[in-house]
Amino acid sequence: MSTLPLPIAAPGARWRLGSFARIQIAGWGLFTLVDLVNRQITYQDLTAALSMSGLAFLLLVGLSTVLGRIYDGAFAGAVLGPRIFGVLVLFSSAASALVVAATMLARQLFDWAIPDWGALEEIALPFTHYAVALTGWSLLFFWLRADRQRQAAHAAALTAETQMLAAKAEALAAEIQHLRLQINPHFLFNALNGIAEEVPEHPDAALAMLRDLTDYLRHVLAGIRTPMVPVEEEVAALLAYLRIQQARFGGRLRVRVEMDPAIAGRRLPNSLLQPLAENAVEHGDRSQVLELAVHVALEGETLRVDLTNTGRLEPAHRLRAGHGLGLANLRRRLDVHYPGRHAFDLREIEGGQVVATLRIEGDMCSAS
């Protein structure tokens, strides 16, 4: 994992020079105030106490800043452990020695001697005092940097996840639009061919077929702008499709469509029912008369669609629930629009009939 150094000077960043410098000044300022009281008691000279405390403050701020840069450069990816802790103590001790040396030199230059002070008071105690303080500062620095790295990693993960979800949503929307606009080319060719055959002898029938085809195509193509339509519009488009097929097959296709008036106003995805009718016409038994019945109603709060046609369900059809491109697309759209809130069943019943039953609960998810 890449590491992010604690930005001592990073304009525009949330953890930038201003906030870090304020923490430095406030922390070392409080520390220096305690030192000032001790020095005043020791020196009995306010000028000497103020001067020595001020010098120590500047040294501590400067040395801690240098230590921070060293930690960021040499230990950018380091995790705090026994070895790193030993290194922190070593660097803090070296910085403490510089502070002690500078303060001793200042006392000698300005002749601020303290009577009865020996090596212990002049060197050992101040060295330990500053070494402990700088070690604590180093530990705090590592903790703050680790916390910031965790926040940055979390933010990066959220950004990556958001981008991935956005890409998936865009791809899904494109897929749904493709599925929605998928028109059976054989149906379109046969419909146009049927219209052309009727024009010479039955122009009125050809005109009726053309109007039904126009209504059907208008409904399908409208899905680009209106992915959800009232059930009555979907049923009307389904009727237009079935009338075209009736015109093609004549007396060999009989259609009955029933819709519960109570369902009016309920909305569902555009052209969702189309694959059911296509599958029935394509695979139904037209050797004599293909009987096709559509029933749309409410079952409690669940929208139920039953489409029955004469014929048989082939064994391969039973084994492959998504037989046919149309039904495969129907199942995919149901998974997207009604995840966990739909059921689709295709079965054969006595009397040589195949029943497709679709149940939908709730409103469509906005995945289009």
Side-chain angles (χ1 to χ4, degrees):
M1 183 183 72
S2 62
T3 58
L4 296 173
L6 190 66
I8 305 302
R14 183 170 294 276
W15 190 271
R16 51 184 183 242
L17 174 62
S19 58
F20 183 77
R22 285 194 294 271
I23 291 175
Q24 286 272 79
I25 293 171
W28 289 124
L30 291 174
F31 180 83
T32 302
L33 283 177
V34 176
D35 266 6
L36 175 61
V37 174
N38 292 331
R39 284 194 171 90
Q40 174 62 20
I41 295 173
T42 302
Y43 287 94
Q44 295 296 315
D45 184 341
L46 183 58
T47 301
L50 286 172
S51 300
M52 294 297 294
S53 297
L55 174 62
F57 171 77
L58 294 175
L59 288 170
L60 290 171
V61 171
L63 288 171
S64 61
T65 301
V66 172
L67 287 177
R69 295 188 181 279
I70 292 174
Y71 296 154
D72 278 338
F75 305 100
V79 178
L80 190 60
R83 188 181 68 85
I84 296 299
F85 178 74
V87 173
L88 297 186
V89 172
L90 180 62
F91 277 100
S92 298
S93 298
S96 177
L98 291 175
V99 176
V100 172
T103 54
M104 289 181 63
L105 180 60
R107 285 205 313 271
Q108 291 176 4
L109 288 175
F110 294 98
D111 195 21
W112 289 331
I114 303 174
D116 302 324
W117 265 34
L120 177 65
E121 292 83 357
E122 289 192 4
I123 300 175
L125 289 180
F127 173 81
T128 303
H129 178 63
Y130 292 121
V132 170
L134 287 164
T135 300
W137 180 92
S138 299
L139 292 173
L140 179 62
F141 182 92
F142 264 72
W143 179 81
L144 288 174
R145 188 179 66 178
D147 182 67
R148 182 177 178 275
Q149 289 173 350
R150 282 194 298 270
Q151 292 179 8
H154 180 65
L158 286 178
T159 301
E161 183 178 1
T162 301
Q163 292 175 345
M164 180 180 67
L165 290 175
K168 285 185 177 180
E170 185 177 348
L172 191 58
E175 179 185 2
I176 290 301
Q177 182 164 310
H178 171 72
L179 294 175
R180 188 191 303 128
L181 297 180
Q182 196 163 48
I183 302 173
N184 190 326
H186 296 291
F187 160 72
L188 190 58
F189 172 80
N190 290 331
L192 292 173
N193 190 52
I195 292 172
E197 291 178 355
E198 293 289 344
V199 168
E201 299 182 4
H202 306 96
D204 291 340
L207 182 60
M209 287 182 66
L210 184 60
R211 285 172 177 167
D212 285 331
L213 181 61
T214 300
D215 291 340
Y216 168 73
L217 292 178
R218 182 185 297 113
H219 177 78
V220 173
L221 295 176
I224 298 176
R225 302 184 308 275
T226 55
M228 292 182 64
V229 295
V231 173
E232 53 267 32
E233 289 187 17
E234 180 71 8
V235 172
L238 195 65
L239 278 170
Y241 167 81
L242 292 174
R243 284 195 297 267
I244 295 170
Q245 297 291 32
Q246 279 184 306
R248 286 183 56 215
F249 296 114
R252 287 184 297 156
L253 176 61
R254 296 175 186 169
V255 175
R256 185 177 76 257
V257 177
E258 299 175 347
M259 188 186 76
D260 184 357
I263 208 171
R266 184 78 175 260
R267 301 175 73 82
L268 75 168
N270 185 295
S271 303
L272 185 70
L273 304 183
Q274 178 67 26
L276 296 177
E278 286 185 357
N279 188 70
V281 173
E282 181 179 352
H283 298 287
D285 185 5
R286 295 195 303 271
S287 59
Q288 295 182 0
V289 177
L290 172 60
E291 300 279 353
L292 194 154
V294 181
H295 183 70
V296 185
L298 281 177
E299 193 175 72
E301 293 298 321
T302 301
L303 171 65
R304 173 168 177 162
V305 180
D306 291 292
L307 193 148
T308 306
N309 64 271
T310 52
R312 293 192 174 276
L313 201 60
E314 301 174 1
H317 206 157
R318 289 194 186 96
L319 292 176
R320 292 188 292 142
H323 178 75
L325 178 62
L327 293 187
N329 286 353
L330 171 66
R331 291 179 180 276
R332 175 58 178 155
R333 293 186 69 187
L334 288 172
D335 288 338
V336 171
H337 291 311
Y338 302 95
R341 296 182 287 110
H342 70 274
F344 177 66
D345 179 50
L346 189 64
R347 66 192 186 282
E348 182 180 330
I349 60 176
E350 293 183 4
Q353 290 186 319
V354 176
V355 180
T357 301
L358 172 64
R359 292 181 177 87
I360 295 174
E361 298 178 8
D363 296 326
M364 181 183 85
C365 294
S366 57
S368 54

